[in-house]
Structures are given as structure tokens and as C-alpha cells.
Amino acid sequence: MTDPVSYSIHGHVAVLRINNPPVNALSQAVRQGLADGMDRAEADTAVKAVLVVGEGRAFIAGADITEFGKPPMEPNLPDLCTRIENSPLLVIASMHGVTLGGGLEVALGAHYRIAQPSARLGLPEVHLGLLPGAGGTQRLPRLTGSDKAIEIMISGRQIKAAEALEMGVLDKVEEGDPQVIGLAYATELLSSGATRRAVSELPAPDAIDWEAAHEGALKKGRGQINTGVIVRAVQAASELPFMDGMARERALFADLLKSDQSKGMIHAFFNERAVSNLHELKGVTPRALNAIGVIGGGTMGAGIATAALLAKLNVVLIETGQEQADAARGRIEGNLQGALKRGKINQPQYDALTTEALTVAIDYASLGDVDLVIEAVFEDMAVKKEVFAKLDAACKAGAILASNTSYLDIDEIAAATSRPADVIGLHFFSPAHVMKLLEVVVADKTAADVVTTGFDLGKRLGKIAVRAGVCDGFIGNRILAVYRTAADHMVLDGASPYQIDRALTGFGFAMGPFAVADLAGLDIGWMTRKRKAAGRHADERVPTYIDRLCEQGHFGRKTGEGYYLYEAGSRASVPNPKIPELIATEQADLNITPRDFTDQEIVRRYMCAMVNEAAKVVEEGIARRPADVDMVLLFGYGFPRYSGGPLKWADLQGLADVLADIERYAQEDAWFWQPAGLLKTLVAEGRSFDDLNRAGGK
Ligand code: 3HC
Ligand code: NAI
């Protein structure tokens, strides 16, 4: 193994070169290597300066996140940064790629900082439920002032070199190899007689209105607690002597590291990456992807086409007639106009995407050259089968045929073709050019290289791709149907839809289930209820009060009336006064005496329903790992990232308690609350969902 930190002498300068691929995280070995390098340089009388540089694609991407939660190992990072700063030698950091978290804290411990123009600097600990814990909260505000430092730490954004120079975080920006520009800068500093310059010795940062800053930070955090704690740490920098501020920062960091929120966010960090690593796909080469076809240019087809165009794929979109084709083109151009306005693309790119890269046609013969086609026509099996038979005839051999169906059986769709091995589900979420989730639905006969290509497409579109098996609703919509039903039951029993929405946004969901239903369109649920009515079990409780609204032509946001009333052209909504009346009528019909629910009980029942179904989805192999379900809920259903996903949440609550609640609810409604076998097994064995994640699955 190569040394994680190499030591070499160049004239009067000792170079400490970090080599810990892939991103030079500050593992124990790197920290030790840096400390040893400093000792060695200081012991060498010929050495006057130390240059710290990184090998590979980054200077340092931060603390080694895999070490969090394990027993601390010396030397610790805050002490290392202070040890670097206290050196009698001149210490220079030369940065390229990213310098993040603990990496920037090491650089702030150095006396001079130089970077390439393309370098990016940041303190992203906020995204891990933490705060910068190696002096970042104490040193950065001494350079930038309190307000700016708080903004940088709460946003966690990556700052460009030019901005960092302007703020005084960098002393110099120069093109060139980091070691070459660093050595030249060190030589320049030595020959000009520059002296040691410690950030900690600068005046304490300015006092601001700390209470207002704290309140504003919590608001920005939308339920995240660490944003407020970051403000308190900067307040300590302003009010306490430097070393006392460091101690305060360390105590706050330790508290946050123990919090459920940081556990949830660290779980999300690793699993959003792990979710597309499937052992059975190792070494399987994806098929080539240059042009894709999209069938149907409605809400989803237009969104998928937009995402593909923005990812530099050529798109051929097929509609049923010229009018529909024009409408589809209009939708795609509208989406791309949005990207243009936000600066994601420029005018020449917009022009190229809407002309050269996009073909909208009504003839399947235009699909002859596409490598993969995604069907997004009406959710109707007969229509889908007809489309797939046509695709089978029109597409070249080896082209992949994918369906964006929300619920329908991909095996049955595949059977409508002569090439079921080339058929797969690629389930996008609305709006498809914005939402990060992609379910890659693997049918019985789908070939391995078709699955790999699905993941490859996901990566190229910037999506989090999750493998799902075939069942009604796959991973996400299947679980949604169940927790949504739990909410419906609570309405029948006395909780108002508005209290439920409030309780769940209070928990951290982006939206409550009834606001979501209005957005998606109440007609979808109405049609599903009618479709499923015949096969329904006698014990199944299905509220129908909302059907009365649908019968009057009110389908939610798109018609201006649903659970809420919407004013045209405005995003604001107010509760619909008809809803409580409709609910009361149904309760009277069913002889239900409504009761009060606390917000806490609402959240608990909703979450227990979600966890129970999620456990069944894992048990049946529809999802490979509990973390796969977590990522689906996080990236497709507005689940708060700081809770990590439903199964991480369940682990943190304690599985025995969750199961006990489900069994208690089952005493009222044994049909709905059937405890998942996997949940019972895990409780009996004293294991957690995370134990299954570590073992690679069920
Ligand atoms: N510790 C451990 N592993 C890390 C890591 C870190 N800080 N940063 C990245 N990795 C790992 C990833 O898990 C991934 O592993 P995998 O290949 O096994 O999945 C691998 O490095 C490559 O990462 P990406 O796939 O994300 O590569 P990209 O090039 O897309 O992105 C990056 C690189 C911008 C550095 C991105 O990985 C990132 O944002 N990393 C996290 C940075 C961060 O949060 N730093 C702060 C850490 S906390 C801290 O420093 C506390 C201190 O204040 C005390
Ligand atoms: P939509 O009704 O907005 O669009 C469907 C489009 O398909 C229409 O423009 C129609 O003209 C076209 N079309 C119908 N038959 C066709 C054919 N034979 N050939 C070519 N085009 C044809 O529907 P939406 O919402 O875009 O849904 C499409 C599919 O995506 C459905 O299977 C749906 O379940 C699924 N889906 C929908 C989501 C949503 O939130 N709307 C989310 C994820 C999946």
C-alpha cells in the first residue's frame, strides 16, 4: 500500500502530499501522516515552509465519514488543524478539485492558501446533520465575518475559487499543477520575508443579532436542528476566546453526531450511492445509448424527453396525431424554457436541443435508430400492449423497450413482444425532468445488460436509480397506497385531512397526503377505487366521501377544487368547507362516532403503516435492501432526508416498539394491520433493518 501522506523536500520546502483515493478523505492514517509530516519538517533545520497538496481529483473531501460513530482515533482532526496552525514554519495549502468540510478546516489551519481557478471550497457538514467540527465555525467567520460564514455553512454550498479569493478565504488563485503553483508561492513568500499568519489570531468575528440569525437558520432548515446549532457555534466564535470557542464547537459537534438526524442523513449519504451497486451487475457492460424514443408526450413523456435532451441524448417522440404532437413539443419547449431561465442551458443550446436533438413524429418508423424507447401512454393495459407490439416491429434488434407504467405488470407487457429479454420498467416521477428517483423495474425475463443499461441511463440523467421487482405499484406506489389508506382511515375515525397534512409536514414531509392527492388529481384515486371495487375484501375500509366531489367534476388542483380550494394563478390554498360536511355524512352512514387524534398519533400510525408495507416489500424481494426502500421514499415521495427513510426511522425508533404499535392497531382493524413477517423475525432475532443493509439484503 502506498503511504497515504508522502513526504518530500524541495529546496527549503517540505511537501506533504495526500494520496487516499478516491477523494482524500481524512482517515486516521491521513491525519497521522500529516501530523508525522509536520513533526519531520519541524525537525529538519533546512526546512522553512510546509506545502500541503492532494493527489488525484481533490485536495481533501473532508473527514472520513465511514469513521463516524466508531470509537475516535488519535490524532483527532481539530487538534491536527491547531497543530498545523501552531507550527513555527510557514504552512501553505495548495488546492484543486474540491476542498470540503475537514479539508477546508485543514486549509484554514494553514497560514497561506492558494488554489486553481477551477477549485471549489465548502463546508457541507450541514447535509450530514452536523456542523464543521474541526475549527471551521471558529476560523471561517474570522475571515469572512459572521453573516457570510453562517450563510456558507447553512447552505453547505461549494464556493468557486474567485469568490473565495474575494472573501479572503484564499490568498491567491493560479492555473497550474497544485504542487508546482504551491512551491512557487512558498518560494515567493519565503523570499519576501512573509511570516506565519494564524487565522485564530485574527480578531473575533462581529456580533450580529444572534436570536434573529438562529430563528432564520431554523426556518431554512425546515425541521433540521443543526442549522440553528451552526449559528450558536459562530456566536461562540464571536463571544469566547479562540480555544474556548473550539471547545464549544467540539461539544456541539459531539451532540449532533449522536442525534438521529445525523444518523439519518449519513445513512442517506452512503445509500444514495450504494443503491445502484448491484452485485449481479458487476462486470455487465451496458448497451450503447445515443438516441432514445419516447412514446406519448403528455405530462410524463414530455418530462422524460426533457430530461434526456438535457443529458445530451437525441430524442424521437411519438404522438397519436399532429395536434397531440404539437402539444407535446410545446410542453418540452416549455420545460426547456425553464432550464434556460434558470441558466442551466444557454440560448444556442436551447436552439440545438429543440431542433437538431428533438424529433416529434406520429410515425413509428421514425424509431428505427433509437437504442432505447420509453413508453408513457395512457395507463391502460390494452393500449400498452398495442404500443409494445408496434415497438417490437419498428425498433432495431437490441433496442430496449421500456415502460413508464405506474402499476401495470411488466411481464404481461413484455409478453406482447417477441423480445421479452429486452423489456424493462423505467418508472419516472412527476415532473420527470426534476424528480431524482427512477425505479428500474426488472421483469422475469429482463436480460442483465438491459438492467445495467437502465441504471446507466439513470446515472446519465442524474437520477437515483433503484432496482424494483414487479408487483402492483412496484416499491414506491405500493407503499404509498398503504400509508395513504392509513390516513383515510384516520379521517373516517375523526382526524381532519387538514390536521393530518399539518402533522405530516410538521414531521418533515414536503407535503401532506391530501395536498398531494389534490396535486396528482383526485380522478386517479376515484378510477382506481372503481376498478378495485369488485375484488374488495369485506373487511376493507374504503372511504368514498371524496367520490361525491369527483362526481361533481372537482379533481383537485387542476380544477381549482379538491380537499383545498385553489385560486387561479395563485399557489395559495384554503381548506374546502364541503369536505367536513361530506366526511360527517359518511361517518353518520357508517355509525362512526368521530374521536380526537393527537398529531403524534397521526404521525405514528402513518409511519407504522409505511414501515409495515415497506418490510413486506423487502421480504418479497420487490426491493433488495431496506435502504433501497428508504431511497425511494426520500427521492420520490418527499420523505425528510434527516429521518433517513422509513426503515432507518423504524430502526431509530426501535423495531420492537413499532411492531407493538402495529399489533395494537390490529386489534381495531386486523385486515389492514397485518404485521409483516420480516418485522416479526427481526424483532425476535434482535436485529435491525440496517443489519440487513450491511449483509447486502434480506
Ligand atoms: N468520507 C468517506 N468517503 C467519502 C467521502 C468522505 N468524506 N466523500 C466521498 N466518499 C466516498 C463516497 O462514498 C464514494 O464511495 P463509493 O465509490 O464506495 O460509493 C466515493 O468516495 C466517491 O464519491 P462520489 O461518488 O460522491 O464522487 P463524486 O466525484 O460524485 O463527488 C464529492 C465527490 C464532491 C467529494 C462527494 O463525494 C461529497 O460531497 N463527499 C462528501 C463531502 C463531505 O460531506 N465532507 C464533509 C465531511 S464531514 C467533516 O468533514 C466533518 C469535519 O467538519 C469534522
Ligand atoms: P398523459 O395523459 O398526460 O399523457 C399520455 C399521452 O400519451 C397523451 O399525450 C396521449 O396523446 C399519448 N398517447 C396515448 N396513446 C398513444 C399511442 N398509442 N401512441 C403514442 N402516444 C399515445 O399521461 P401521463 O400522466 O403522462 O402518464 C403516462 C404514463 O406514465 C402512464 O402509464 C402513467 O401511469 C405513468 N406515470 C404517470 C405519472 C404521473 O404523475 N402523471 C408518474 C409516473 C408514471
Side-chain angles (χ1 to χ4, degrees):
M1 217 182 85
T2 49
D3 255 348
V5 180
S6 66
Y7 182 93
S8 59
I9 296 290
H10 301 255
H12 292 295
V13 185
V15 175
L16 307 187
R17 199 174 170 90
I18 304 165
N19 183 12
N20 184 27
V23 292
N24 292 336
L26 289 157
S27 63
Q28 188 278 336
V30 171
R31 299 195 301 275
Q32 191 65 58
L34 286 171
D36 291 348
M38 292 302 299
D39 289 347
R40 198 165 155 190
E42 285 170 13
D44 184 340
T45 49
V47 170
K48 306 262 182 287
V50 176
L51 173 68
V52 186
V53 289
E55 183 89 45
R57 61 201 236 218
F59 173 67
I60 304 172
D64 185 342
I65 305 169
T66 59
E67 288 182 1
F68 289 167
K70 296 183 186 157
M73 287 180 286
E74 298 288 322
N76 74 42
L77 193 53
D79 290 351
L80 175 66
C81 294
T82 301
R83 191 255 170 275
I84 289 173
E85 192 182 58
N86 287 344
S87 177
L89 302 174
L90 279 194
V91 186
I92 299 121
S94 179
M95 291 163 268
H96 73 290
V98 287
T99 297
L100 300 175
L104 181 53
E105 292 173 301
V106 166
L108 290 171
H111 306 133
Y112 294 89
R113 287 164 290 280
I114 178 171
Q116 288 182 345
S118 58
R120 296 268 199 286
L121 284 65
L123 292 171
E125 287 87 344
V126 69
H127 301 310
L128 298 170
L130 300 169
L131 52 68
T137 66
Q138 306 302 298
R139 288 194 178 91
L140 185 68
R142 283 178 156 80
L143 288 171
T144 64
S146 299
D147 277 329
K148 194 82 198 157
I150 288 171
E151 181 271 316
I152 290 169
M153 289 187 272
I154 285 181
S155 67
R157 72 188 168 95
Q158 291 185 10
I159 300 160
K160 291 183 185 159
E163 189 189 346
L165 181 68
E166 206 182 294
M167 293 191 296
V169 173
L170 288 175
D171 301 297
K172 194 168 179 150
V173 174
E174 200 163 313
E175 197 64 78
D177 175 79
Q179 182 162 328
V180 173
I181 59 169
L183 280 172
Y185 187 39
T187 310
E188 178 192 320
L189 287 166
L190 289 174
S191 54
S192 69
T195 49
R196 228 188 116 261
R197 204 187 52 172
V199 175
S200 67
E201 291 163 17
L202 294 173
D206 51 318
I208 57 172
D209 182 341
W210 298 110
E211 294 319 307
H214 184 253
E215 199 180 314
L218 284 178
K219 211 163 162 200
K220 283 210 184 81
R222 297 166 52 104
Q224 238 174 277
I225 52 171
N226 60 340
T227 52
V229 184
I230 285 170
V231 173
R232 294 302 181 209
V234 176
Q235 185 176 358
S238 174
E239 293 174 352
L240 302 177
F242 180 77
M243 285 316 288
D244 293 349
M246 286 292 283
R248 180 91 184 108
E249 177 196 79
R250 191 182 291 194
L252 294 172
F253 181 85
D255 283 348
L256 287 175
L257 193 58
K258 279 186 261 160
S259 70
D260 283 355
Q261 289 200 352
S262 84
K263 289 182 185 133
M265 292 180 100
I266 290 170
H267 175 78
F269 175 82
F270 283 117
N271 286 299
E272 68 187 320
R273 289 166 173 76
V275 85
S276 11
N277 287 340
L278 295 180
H279 58 85
E280 76 266 27
L281 298 181
K282 291 247 153 58
V284 180
T285 312
R287 296 186 189 175
L289 274 185
N290 296 310
I292 71 159
V294 177
I295 314 301
T299 312
M300 292 307 290
I304 294 166
T306 307
L309 289 167
L310 288 171
K312 301 192 170 62
L313 288 159
N314 288 333
V315 173
V316 180
L317 186 138
I318 305 291
E319 259 293 350
T320 45
Q322 197 51 50
E323 201 183 311
Q324 289 84 347
D326 292 345
R329 178 174 277 282
R331 275 189 277 274
I332 297 169
E333 287 178 355
N335 292 340
L336 291 173
Q337 286 282 353
L340 180 63
K341 246 188 240 147
R342 286 190 300 280
K344 253 184 117 175
I345 49 172
N346 57 31
Q347 189 65 46
Q349 284 168 325
Y350 173 88
D351 295 341
L353 291 182
T354 50
T355 53
E356 292 146 40
L358 173 66
T359 308
V360 181
I362 51 175
D363 179 4
Y364 278 64
S366 314
L367 293 169
D369 281 337
V370 302
D371 304 299
L372 178 148
V373 48
I374 303 168
E375 165 277 311
V377 304
F378 303 132
E379 184 77 342
D380 179 311
M381 184 54 98
V383 179
K384 304 254 187 215
K385 281 184 174 170
E386 195 189 314
V387 167
F388 270 75
K390 282 196 204 161
L391 292 176
D392 195 16
C395 293
K396 66 185 179 190
I400 295 172
L401 312 183
S403 175
N404 180 49
T405 177
S406 307
Y407 293 93
L408 300 176
D409 184 344
I410 309 283
D411 288 312
E412 196 178 335
I413 294 173
T417 73
S418 65
R419 44 171 130 179
D422 293 343
V423 176
I424 191 165
L426 290 177
H427 184 215
F428 291 79
F429 289 74
S430 182
H433 56 299
V434 177
M435 294 292 286
K436 293 276 275 181
L437 180 63
L438 174 67
E439 285 182 332
V440 177
V441 188
V442 180
D444 275 354
K445 297 197 174 135
T446 312
D449 65 342
V450 171
V451 182
T452 309
T453 314
F455 278 98
D456 185 43
L457 175 69
K459 196 166 176 191
R460 288 174 67 173
L461 301 184
K463 308 281 182 210
I464 305 290
V466 181
R467 183 201 184 281
V470 174
C471 69
D472 195 8
F474 316 123
I475 298 177
N477 281 347
R478 171 169 160 183
I479 298 171
L480 163 73
V482 175
Y483 63 80
R484 192 32 237 257
T485 302
D488 283 337
H489 289 175
M490 288 189 272
V491 169
L492 277 185
D493 292 335
S496 90
Y498 314 108
Q499 186 195 0
I500 293 176
D501 276 1
R502 261 197 320 273
L504 290 162
T505 47
F507 173 80
F509 278 96
M511 287 170 88
F514 298 100
V516 169
D518 271 1
L519 188 63
L522 299 177
D523 44 332
I524 299 178
W526 186 34
M527 281 186 315
T528 312
R529 277 190 294 283
K530 282 196 269 193
R531 180 163 54 85
K532 292 194 168 169
R536 203 167 279 149
H537 191 277
D539 290 342
E540 213 173 321
R541 301 176 71 202
V542 183
T544 56
Y545 66 90
I546 200 68
D547 297 353
R548 307 290 89 76
L549 210 63
C550 294
E551 285 155 11
Q552 295 165 20
H554 303 305
F555 299 138
R557 197 177 276 243
K558 61 188 167 191
T559 61
E561 180 170 345
Y563 286 98
Y564 298 84
L565 298 176
Y566 303 87
E567 252 181 61
S570 149
R571 286 179 141 245
S573 64
V574 290
N576 184 350
K578 284 186 200 160
I579 295 286
E581 290 169 27
L582 292 171
I583 294 170
T585 307
E586 185 160 7
Q587 285 165 337
D589 291 347
L590 296 171
N591 279 326
I592 294 171
T593 311
R595 70 172 177 90
D596 288 339
F597 283 77
T598 62
D599 288 2
Q600 213 181 1
E601 183 182 2
I602 289 170
V603 169
R604 190 75 184 177
R605 280 179 180 257
Y606 195 75
M607 288 304 301
C608 282
M610 192 182 302
V611 169
N612 200 34
E613 191 63 16
K616 290 177 190 176
V617 160
V618 175
E619 188 178 344
E620 292 169 25
I622 299 297
R624 278 288 165 77
R625 300 164 284 212
D628 290 13
V629 177
D630 286 341
M631 296 309 108
V632 165
L633 269 293
L634 239 50
F635 291 102
Y637 295 83
F639 193 96
R641 189 178 171 90
Y642 57 72
S643 293
L647 296 179
K648 182 67 186 177
W649 176 89
D651 274 351
L652 292 169
Q653 295 292 308
L655 295 190
D657 288 348
V658 170
L659 178 62
D661 280 350
I662 292 171
E663 285 170 340
R664 196 159 49 77
Y665 304 148
Q667 289 167 11
E668 297 161 18
D669 182 350
W671 167 256
F672 182 72
W673 294 102
Q674 297 177 37
L678 177 61
L679 190 54
K680 288 204 245 181
T681 308
L682 290 176
V683 170
E685 293 173 356
R687 296 198 305 152
S688 67
F689 286 113
D690 246 352
D691 290 334
L692 291 185
N693 288 327
R694 277 188 284 273
K698 180 170 63 86

